[in-house]
Amino acid sequence: MNPVDEVDDLLTRAGARWRADQDPPPEPDLEFLMSGGRKHRRWVPALAAASVAAVAAGVIAVLPGPQPTTGAPQTFAHGNQAPYDDLLVRDGDRVEATGQVVVEPGKDPVFCPRLPRPVSEQPWLTEAPVCPAQYVVKLKNLDLDKLTPAKPTGTKAIAVTLTGTWSDRTIDVRTQTVPKVRSTTAELSLPPDQVPCPAPAGGWSTKPNVYDKFAIDKFITPREDQANDPQVLYPKGRTPGAPEVYTIGVAHGDLAAFRTAFQKVYGGNLCVHRVKFSKNELTRIGTAVFALIPKGLGVYGGGPAAEDKVGVSAVVYDDALKNALTPIGLDNLDILVAIRPLR
């Protein structure tokens, strides 16, 4: 396999894992479907391969590009700073938690979010479903017998959805269920991508798109302050013979001029559209998110979520996390949590 393709596949799979929604855990051995419907294929130049993923305490954090060097404090575009108050959890709130109960011999069962697995998927990193301390949520009144018919031997992780009362990073459990595993082809199918450009007259061409990634790299790299990384989208779904659309978001400069210049290195279906942030701007936001992982705030992932946002995966959105994310710009983020309030 081409080494650039390997980076592409790595980022696609890793980015999709933490971006997945809070539905029941995806089926085993179907990693491509962990996106919960998002299957955008992001192509990243080989020069960015070294910074695609970072492993911290066995947890993956995917950044949208290389980390900038240290220097002047980073500033970010701010807008609405209360877009996620509906996710805010405080002591005394009723909550719903979707993730897993981790049972270790000699210890009380605890709740843990579905942490991304290291992309290396080496057995010694994935077989023991332990939960790093900063992601542990204690449980009261959990009935383990209702979750598993047999007493667990060794360390075990059981997929669950719990409801209860949140207090002092503990859930007083009221209901507990084991999510059903989806298995039918219809349930596992992925919807078509939403291309942010109208189709041309006659529709998108179904001719195979043949392009030179290195020529595209040469074009895009000097323009990372202007645009973000291209994506290949599938407006008719990912089926044999379906059209592919190369999509590029441009944050600064004239769209028509950018499109004309890019068509000199790419002649297939093309969507050039306006976005809020360039790749380098998203990188700075992603780096600020990444820096929160070791701070004990429950952040366990970050990476490209959409062209104008950077994703944040965390255990719970509480006041401490809100205060840490506010300087980054809450409206610049797509926050995914394992524990949500029940209003």
Side-chain angles (χ1 to χ4, degrees):
M1 180 180 289
N2 187 303
V4 178
D5 289 338
E6 292 180 337
V7 173
D8 184 7
D9 292 340
L10 182 152
L11 199 142
T12 300
R13 292 188 296 116
R17 287 196 185 98
W18 66 259
R19 179 68 178 96
D21 59 21
Q22 289 296 327
D23 288 336
E27 290 67 24
D29 301 323
L30 291 173
E31 295 166 9
F32 178 74
L33 301 179
M34 285 188 174
S35 62
R38 292 189 58 86
K39 54 187 183 304
H40 296 172
R41 180 177 177 83
R42 296 184 60 90
W43 173 69
V44 176
L47 293 177
S51 62
V52 168
V55 180
V59 180
I60 296 300
V62 181
L63 298 181
Q67 299 182 42
T69 55
T70 57
Q74 299 296 326
T75 58
F76 308 99
H78 289 187
N80 177 16
Q81 288 300 288
Y84 294 103
D85 279 358
D86 60 330
L87 293 181
L88 196 60
V89 171
R90 294 188 171 104
D91 283 357
D93 285 346
R94 292 182 62 244
V95 296
E96 179 181 79
T98 301
Q100 55 191 351
V101 167
V102 176
V103 184
E104 293 186 71
K107 297 183 179 181
D108 292 331
V110 297
F111 175 84
C112 190
R114 290 182 288 140
L115 301 176
R117 294 176 297 175
V119 293
S120 62
E121 298 188 6
Q122 296 166 343
W124 56 88
L125 292 176
T126 61
E127 284 185 349
V130 297
C131 191
Q134 71 159 315
Y135 308 122
V136 166
V137 174
K138 296 180 181 178
L139 299 173
K140 290 182 179 179
N141 297 314
L142 178 76
D143 189 344
L144 192 58
D145 292 336
K146 291 183 179 180
L147 296 181
T148 177
K151 185 175 181 180
T153 59
T155 301
K156 183 177 180 62
I158 306 168
V160 295
T161 296
L162 307 172
T163 67
T165 303
W166 175 266
S167 180
D168 193 24
R169 211 167 181 81
T170 300
I171 298 175
D172 188 355
V173 177
R174 289 294 176 264
T175 67
Q176 53 190 61
T177 57
V178 177
K180 294 180 179 180
V181 176
R182 295 169 294 174
S183 58
T184 67
T185 302
E187 288 174 324
L188 296 177
S189 62
L190 297 176
D193 290 323
Q194 297 297 314
V195 177
C197 298
W204 300 109
S205 172
T206 57
K207 294 180 180 179
N209 289 343
V210 179
Y211 49 90
D212 184 342
K213 288 185 177 182
F214 294 99
I216 293 172
D217 179 12
K218 187 176 180 180
F219 177 89
I220 291 293
T221 299
R223 295 170 171 83
E224 291 177 349
D225 283 326
Q226 179 184 7
N228 56 29
D229 278 333
Q231 301 181 82
V232 178
L233 302 184
Y234 298 85
K236 300 297 183 180
R238 192 182 293 255
T239 58
E244 298 179 348
V245 181
Y246 219 61
T247 306
I248 307 175
V250 177
H252 311 289
D254 184 74
L255 290 180
F258 188 98
R259 180 186 179 95
T260 298
F262 189 74
Q263 284 177 319
K264 295 178 180 179
V265 297
Y266 178 76
N269 293 323
L270 180 61
C271 170
V272 177
H273 64 109
R274 183 66 69 191
V275 293
K276 182 178 179 181
F277 295 117
S278 68
K279 177 180 178 179
N280 285 345
E281 289 166 333
L282 286 173
T283 295
R284 290 192 288 272
I285 297 170
T287 300
V289 170
F290 176 75
L292 298 179
I293 290 178
K295 294 186 180 296
L297 295 167
V299 176
Y300 57 86
E307 284 148 331
D308 288 338
K309 291 181 183 291
V310 169
V312 182
S313 293
V315 178
V316 63
Y317 185 64
D318 55 13
D319 286 311
L321 183 57
K322 179 180 178 179
N323 292 338
L325 292 175
T326 295
I328 301 173
L330 295 176
D331 55 336
N332 299 334
L333 305 174
D334 187 10
I335 299 176
L336 172 71
V337 290
I339 299 173
R340 296 171 174 266
L342 290 175
R343 305 299 189 194

